[in-house]
Amino acid sequence: MNIKKRVFVIIRPHKKNDVLSMVFDWVIVVLVLADILTTILDTLPQPERVILCFNILEIITVSIFTIEYCLRFWTADLLYFKSKPFKARFKHALTFLMIVDLLAIVPFYLQFIFPINIHVLRAFRLFRIFRLVKIKYYVKTLSHVGDVLRRKASQLFISSSILFILMVIASVLMYTAEHQSQPDVFENALSGLWWAVITLTTVGYGDIYPVTVLGKVIGSFFAIFSIGLIAIPTGIISAGFIENIQDGKSIHGKKKHFCPYCGENIDANPS
């Protein structure tokens, strides 16, 4: 295996019995967690020495993430082996996770290119939170979540659309029933939509509620009806986890693993 192919295997989500790949994954996870921790602590008053340590850590993490990004870009032709190298790299650069990686590292370099106010710089540092997304692609358990949501996207979209339509109907009906009695509370249908959201999701803040008999009847009906409707996405996701576990066993038997950077199941050892 030449250097490029070996790098390709190492920087992809690790396979068993590959020590370097496993070490690489956990180094990335640790760096992401450390970087997010410093982002949180950076909002608190810190001594100058601590701030200096945080800045050094940021330089180290950004440097490693930049190298990782470049390596993924360099080996993209092995991931999309049916495409020409330039097209493969361009296609790979437009994938969701590569865009997230880019957003996580670019703000660090902007401060050296453009004169940025300190307050604007702190706002840019919030982009570091995107690095947290990377963890789920290196921790196998968390990667199942994204896989399930991706596979069940159409079903979840349909159930969510039905829920949204129901919320719109509930908001309009509640506005019609309550506007005259509570004109300051139910000013328009959007006020009713806020009530519908917190009621149908069973949150119930209590800041907006019906006072008329008709409004209470409408509210009771939608509150009871929403209990079953909210359970639909839960059932879809649960079924997706079961299917994902079963398919994972089959894929493991064929010595393949899922690559989040392309959304496909690829050979652990590319030829």
Side-chain angles (χ1 to χ4, degrees), residues 51-116:
I51 295 176
L52 178 61
C53 292
F54 285 173
N55 291 336
I56 294 174
L57 178 61
E58 183 179 6
I59 293 173
I60 294 173
T61 55
V62 170
S63 299
I64 294 176
F65 293 150
T66 302
I67 294 172
E68 179 203 10
Y69 182 88
C70 294
L71 290 176
R72 293 190 186 283
F73 188 80
W74 176 50
T75 58
D77 55 326
L78 296 178
L79 191 62
Y80 302 95
F81 54 88
K82 293 182 180 180
S83 303
K84 294 182 179 180
F86 176 80
K87 186 177 181 181
R89 292 186 177 94
F90 180 76
K91 182 178 180 181
H92 191 45
L94 296 180
T95 57
F96 171 74
L97 197 52
M98 287 291 282
I99 293 175
V100 168
D101 288 348
L102 191 62
L103 289 175
I105 60 178
V106 165
F108 175 80
Y109 297 105
L110 290 179
Q111 60 183 317
F112 302 108
I113 302 175
F114 304 102
I116 301 177

Side-chain angles (χ1 to χ4, degrees), residues 10-262:
I10 292 174
I11 64 177
R12 283 343 182 214
H14 79 266
K15 64 190 185 78
K16 293 182 177 179
N17 303 323
D18 194 321
V19 177
L20 286 179
S21 181
M22 191 184 317
V23 170
F24 176 83
D25 290 355
W26 281 107
V27 166
I28 294 297
V29 169
V30 171
L31 289 177
V32 170
L33 291 176
D35 198 52
I36 297 303
L37 180 61
T38 58
T39 302
I40 297 172
L41 295 177
D42 194 40
T43 61
L44 303 174
Q46 302 290 345
E48 290 294 331
R49 292 183 179 179
V50 176
I51 295 176
L52 178 61
C53 292
F54 285 173
N55 291 336
I56 294 174
L57 178 61
E58 183 179 6
I59 293 173
I60 294 173
T61 55
V62 170
S63 299
I64 294 176
F65 293 150
T66 302
I67 294 172
E68 179 203 10
Y69 182 88
C70 294
L71 290 176
R72 293 190 186 283
F73 188 80
W74 176 50
T75 58
D77 55 326
L78 296 178
L79 191 62
Y80 302 95
F81 54 88
K82 293 182 180 180
S83 303
K84 294 182 179 180
F86 176 80
K87 186 177 181 181
R89 292 186 177 94
F90 180 76
K91 182 178 180 181
H92 191 45
L94 296 180
T95 57
F96 171 74
L97 197 52
M98 287 291 282
I99 293 175
V100 168
D101 288 348
L102 191 62
L103 289 175
I105 60 178
V106 165
F108 175 80
Y109 297 105
L110 290 179
Q111 60 183 317
F112 302 108
I113 302 175
F114 304 102
I116 301 177
N117 183 276
I118 186 64
H119 298 291
V120 177
L121 180 59
R122 288 180 178 177
F124 272 121
R125 286 183 176 180
L126 292 177
F127 279 97
R128 291 189 291 179
I129 202 71
F130 284 112
R131 296 170 193 169
L132 195 60
V133 179
K134 294 167 65 67
I135 291 181
K136 81 183 190 71
Y137 295 106
Y138 293 101
V139 181
K140 187 176 181 180
T141 304
L142 294 177
S143 67
H144 287 308
V145 178
D147 194 15
V148 169
L149 294 177
R150 182 169 39 253
R151 295 177 60 177
K152 296 295 181 179
S154 59
Q155 298 177 30
L156 290 172
F157 175 76
I158 293 173
S159 62
S160 299
S161 299
I162 295 174
L163 184 61
F164 177 74
I165 292 172
L166 183 64
M167 287 180 179
V168 173
I169 295 174
S171 66
V172 174
L173 290 178
M174 187 58 67
Y175 166 76
T176 303
E178 295 291 324
H179 177 64
Q180 290 185 350
S181 299
Q182 302 185 79
D184 295 334
V185 177
F186 290 91
E187 297 178 0
N188 47 53
L190 294 179
S191 301
L193 183 61
W194 168 246
W195 170 87
V197 170
I198 61 176
T199 300
L200 269 65
T201 55
T202 68
V203 175
Y205 286 125
D207 56 339
I208 298 179
Y209 54 87
V211 295
T212 65
V213 175
L214 179 60
K216 291 179 179 179
V217 171
I218 295 173
S220 300
F221 171 78
F222 281 104
I224 295 173
F225 185 74
S226 66
I227 295 175
L229 193 63
I230 291 295
I232 295 177
T234 305
I236 294 173
I237 295 175
S238 299
F241 273 111
I242 296 174
E243 294 175 6
N244 197 54
I245 292 173
Q246 293 175 346
D247 292 348
K249 293 178 179 178
S250 175
I251 292 171
H252 179 70
K254 296 178 182 179
K255 295 183 179 180
K256 292 186 177 184
H257 67 261
F258 178 77
C259 177
Y261 280 86
C262 67

